[in-house]
Amino acid sequence: MIQEVDKEARHKARQQKVKDKVDARVAEAQEEKGLFLIITGNGKGKSTSGFGTVARAVGHGLKCSVAQFIKGTWDNGERNLLEKLGVEFQVMATGFTWDTQCKESDTKAAQQVWVECRRMLQDESIQVVLLDELTYMVSYGYIELEEVIEAITNRPKMQSVVVTGRGAHRSLIDIADTVSEVKNIKHAFDSGVKALKGVDW
């Protein structure tokens, strides 16, 4: 019995130290501004995480807009839901770039969506902007890196931006507030399993 009491006391003491550290960090974080988040890496779940952020924001009554690159021809569960809740979608709608294999038309399509992205990034009424798979557009040279940096840097102060996609450029990572890397450990597709509606897309 005494041992159990001692164990509980030690546990409480450890947890109190953790709480004190967390409370101190919370107290130090006084700056208020919109965040620039990057979700990158070679694992599954980057877009899912980005859309999760949008869903959370919508749940809090925030106005959100989404720009989608790459997978625009797919039926999209997130879009099916979020458009009904007032989220604007701008979609490249050319499908995977390896399907089209035409840099000229893909660049034109990307630029058309990017015009809408720039508008979103200047609109103070939009509180969260998701630029889904924008990293590929920068890597392929469809959209200039400098334009992206300028638009994100000069956005309204309280607007948050989420960029997803593999291979995020170092310059974007440098100006981001939060960067998460999704690592691929195992994927069903590698074992010949088809993408599942409602889970994979």
Side-chain angles (χ1 to χ4, degrees), residues 31-135:
E31 183 180 3
E32 288 191 41
K33 65 169 191 170
L35 300 176
F36 174 28
L37 303 93
I38 294 176
I39 306 164
T40 191
N42 66 352
K44 171 181 163 46
K46 297 179 290 295
S47 294
T48 305
S49 180
F51 278 113
T53 302
V54 172
R56 173 182 288 166
V58 169
H60 284 293
L62 303 185
K63 183 178 178 182
C64 303
S65 294
V66 174
Q68 274 193 292
F69 300 91
I70 302 290
K71 292 184 289 200
T73 58
W74 283 32
D75 182 32
N76 183 293
E78 295 92 341
R79 183 179 181 184
N80 293 343
L81 173 68
L82 293 170
E83 276 191 327
K84 294 174 185 175
L85 298 174
V87 176
E88 172 192 5
F89 273 72
Q90 296 293 335
V91 181
M92 188 166 156
T94 56
F96 294 105
T97 52
W98 53 85
D99 287 335
T100 62
Q101 299 178 8
C102 180
K103 184 169 185 179
E104 184 179 351
S105 63
D106 285 341
T107 300
K108 184 178 179 181
Q111 285 292 324
Q112 288 173 344
V113 175
W114 178 240
V115 168
E116 299 301 328
C117 293
R118 291 174 66 178
R119 172 185 55 78
M120 295 173 186
L121 294 168
Q122 294 171 353
D123 188 340
E124 291 186 4
S125 74
I126 302 174
Q127 292 150 302
V128 178
V129 176
L130 171 60
L131 305 176
D132 185 39
E133 298 184 301
L134 175 68
T135 60

Side-chain angles (χ1 to χ4, degrees), residues 44 193-201:
K44 171 181 163 46
V193 180
K194 290 180 67 173
L196 182 63
K197 182 176 183 178
V199 176
D200 288 308
W201 53 279

Side-chain angles (χ1 to χ4, degrees), residues 155-198:
R155 73 190 191 279
K157 182 183 177 184
M158 293 309 297
Q159 185 184 83
S160 293
V161 177
V162 183
V163 167
T164 68
R166 295 185 182 205
H169 196 282
R170 171 53 60 183
S171 297
L172 291 173
I173 289 173
D174 287 345
I175 65 170
D177 296 292
T178 300
V179 180
S180 296
E181 183 176 12
V182 181
K183 183 179 178 181
N184 186 39
I185 296 174
K186 189 176 183 181
H187 199 298
F189 182 71
D190 295 333
S191 301
V193 180
K194 290 180 67 173
L196 182 63
K197 182 176 183 178

